[in-house]
Amino acid sequence: MGTFCSVVKFENLQELKRLCHWGPIIALGVIAICSTMAMIDSVLWYWPLHTTGGSVNFIMLINWTVMILYNYFNAMFVGPGFVPLGWKPENSQDSVYLQYCKVCQAYKAPRSHHCRKCNRCVMKMDHHCPWINNCCGYQNHASFTLFLLLAPLGCIHAAFIFVMTMYTQLYNRLSFGWNTVKIDMSAARRDPLPIIPFGLAAFAATLFALGLALGTTIAVGMLFFIQMKIILRNKTSIESWIEEKAKDRIQYYQLDEVFVFPYDMGSRWKNFKQVFTWSGVPEGDGLDWPIREGCHQYSLTIEQLKQKADKRVRSVRYKVIEDYSGTCCPLNRGIKTFFTSPCTEEPRIRLQKGEFILATRGLRYWLYGDKILDDSVLEGMDMKASV
């Protein structure tokens, strides 16, 4: 009962506004279309309810839908958990290891970061997801990951229904010629006749739902594997980038030190249990974290302070070598660039050849940063590479 109440009990009615966003509208629309069409196709044209298999199949479809929506709304409305406004460490001396957030008027707890969309410091922030119109973090990481697992599994089941429905309904209606393939969409050859004939509209709707199901399986399935990869390492996407910059800083200055990620427990199972528990409540309070032996509680935040003080690591200058229109998913930049487009609401910057940007972090095919508008900023800066 406690878990269920966490879904339906909102902090305030303003949380319902999260549904009024293109991300949840599209996500819920895809779920509704695939689930509804799978049930209709199954009952009317593929596996009737009066059979044992048909009844089991129908119950499974409902089960997928309920579990997907449960974890989706859990991730959306329970939220990631925010650092309390005005928070500061119990030991005042520890504040020298932490960054201060002027917006929240509080110190940033270990593993927390400020989200400009939520306008709060998020505990163990991974990213702001437009599909749930909320951040993925400490409290909802498990629900979000389960949603990423269940959605492809449900879509695979639905896709099977769609394919079998079209196959059984069109098997006796296909006629092949030397150069043509004809489909007779009349229901005259069906025995016994279905309550509603499988006509052209049903065929088009089923084919459309099949495309949605297959696309969702691929896209969401890839996100699931990415999330599981960082969960088994007990990292977030932001922390992976911090670790990468730490190694870059050590290599650049040829320092005699090794950066050890403090929150990796050294065991995938222990890291897994940090997020997934039988009670559904993640371990800890989101402010204090267990660390591996030999590490400092503030090792990661100390590294962030070092990177913030190091202008070379914090921002790298890149020179633009080709024009970029600022489109969200540019097809003219290659298939890999198109499919690895960041799933974020951050605006794309229109660039022209010869301009300069300051990159604060990046992926293999994408960079995050700002365009340099003032030439005085270029003075004294090291240029890393060109893009």
Side-chain angles (χ1 to χ4, degrees):
M1 179 61 72
T3 305
F4 177 75
C5 289
S6 66
V7 180
V8 298
K9 183 180 179 181
F10 311 120
E11 291 182 2
N12 50 64
L13 293 178
Q14 297 297 323
E15 289 292 319
L16 291 175
K17 289 186 177 180
R18 294 191 183 277
L19 293 169
C20 302
H21 182 267
W22 63 265
I25 291 175
I26 294 176
L28 293 174
V30 171
I31 295 172
I33 292 173
C34 292
S35 299
T36 303
M37 283 304 305
M39 294 178 188
I40 292 175
D41 283 5
S42 179
V43 172
L44 293 180
W45 300 301
Y46 175 57
W47 219 338
L49 287 177
H50 62 77
T51 63
T52 303
S55 299
V56 173
N57 175 68
F58 188 76
I59 292 174
M60 287 182 63
L61 289 174
I62 294 178
N63 186 55
W64 287 126
T65 304
V66 171
M67 290 194 300
I68 290 171
L69 290 177
Y70 172 82
N71 285 284
Y72 178 82
F73 287 125
N74 220 17
M76 178 187 291
F77 292 123
V78 171
F82 301 109
V83 177
L85 296 175
W87 181 86
K88 58 183 179 181
E90 294 183 3
N91 187 353
S92 59
Q93 296 180 351
D94 292 341
S95 60
V96 298
Y97 303 122
L98 302 174
Q99 298 183 55
Y100 187 79
C101 179
K102 295 181 180 179
V103 178
C104 299
Q105 296 292 305
Y107 286 95
K108 294 181 181 179
R111 312 191 77 177
S112 67
H113 302 274
H114 187 83
C115 175
R116 288 182 291 178
K117 290 290 182 180
C118 298
N119 202 31
R120 289 288 301 274
C121 286
V122 178
M123 294 189 291
K124 194 190 174 186
M125 179 179 176
D126 185 81
H127 68 288
H128 184 91
C129 178
W131 303 112
I132 63 174
N133 195 20
N134 207 338
C135 277
C136 174
Y138 164 68
Q139 289 185 349
N140 64 351
H141 204 172
S143 297
F144 180 77
T145 307
L146 286 174
F147 165 73
L148 296 182
L149 170 64
L150 294 170
L153 293 178
C155 285
I156 291 174
H157 186 184
F160 173 79
I161 299 297
F162 299 145
V163 171
M164 293 306 298
T165 298
M166 290 188 290
Y167 173 77
T168 56
Q169 291 298 311
L170 302 180
Y171 180 76
N172 292 323
R173 303 179 184 183
L174 291 173
S175 58
F176 296 91
W178 286 104
N179 298 314
T180 60
V181 178
K182 296 182 179 180
I183 303 177
D184 180 11
M185 295 305 297
S186 67
R189 300 182 184 180
R190 169 83 179 197
D191 187 26
L193 292 176
I195 300 176
I196 300 176
F198 188 79
L200 183 60
F203 173 74
T206 301
L207 191 62
F208 176 71
L210 175 62
L212 287 180
L214 294 177
T216 301
T217 300
I218 296 173
V220 180
M222 291 175 61
L223 293 176
F224 169 74
F225 282 110
I226 293 174
Q227 286 297 313
M228 284 305 303
K229 182 179 179 180
I230 62 176
I231 287 175
L232 293 177
R233 296 176 180 178
N234 204 8
K235 298 178 184 178
T236 64
S237 301
I238 297 176
E239 290 168 349
S240 296
W241 174 244
I242 294 174
E243 183 182 28
E244 184 177 338
K245 289 199 294 183
K247 295 177 180 178
D248 179 65
R249 179 183 62 83
I250 294 172
Q251 181 180 7
Y252 181 81
Y253 291 111
Q254 298 181 353
L255 301 175
D256 187 19
E257 62 179 86
V258 178
F259 177 77
V260 179
F261 187 73
Y263 304 114
D264 187 350
M265 297 291 99
S267 167
R268 291 185 178 183
W269 175 242
K270 290 182 180 179
N271 292 337
F272 181 84
K273 291 193 298 181
Q274 287 282 310
V275 178
F276 295 96
T277 60
W278 288 111
S279 64
V281 180
E283 290 187 358
D285 58 1
L287 300 174
D288 295 317
W289 299 91
I291 58 175
R292 65 186 303 167
E293 186 177 353
C295 291
H296 191 274
Q297 176 66 242
Y298 300 105
S299 294
L300 194 65
T301 55
I302 293 174
E303 176 59 34
Q304 287 179 265
L305 292 173
K306 290 180 181 179
Q307 294 176 8
K308 188 176 181 180
D310 184 1
K311 293 183 178 180
R312 192 203 65 82
V313 175
R314 180 179 60 180
S315 53
V316 181
R317 181 169 67 112
Y318 289 86
K319 184 178 181 180
V320 181
I321 60 176
E322 291 184 17
D323 293 345
Y324 169 55
S325 62
T327 55
C328 180
C329 301
L331 283 170
N332 61 340
R333 299 299 172 185
I335 297 297
K336 292 182 178 180
T337 304
F338 176 81
F339 283 107
T340 57
S341 179
C343 184
T344 175
E345 294 181 289
E346 295 287 343
R348 270 57 168 179
I349 302 175
R350 186 175 182 177
L351 301 172
Q352 293 182 350
K353 183 178 179 180
E355 293 181 330
F356 292 89
I357 63 170
L358 284 180
T360 56
R361 60 190 180 97
L363 304 173
R364 186 172 182 180
Y365 298 100
W366 293 85
L367 292 174
Y368 293 81
D370 296 296
K371 184 194 296 186
I372 299 177
L373 301 177
D374 187 0
D375 292 339
S376 63
V377 179
L378 295 174
E379 298 180 2
M381 292 199 63
D382 177 35
M383 188 173 83
K384 180 75 172 179
S386 297
V387 293

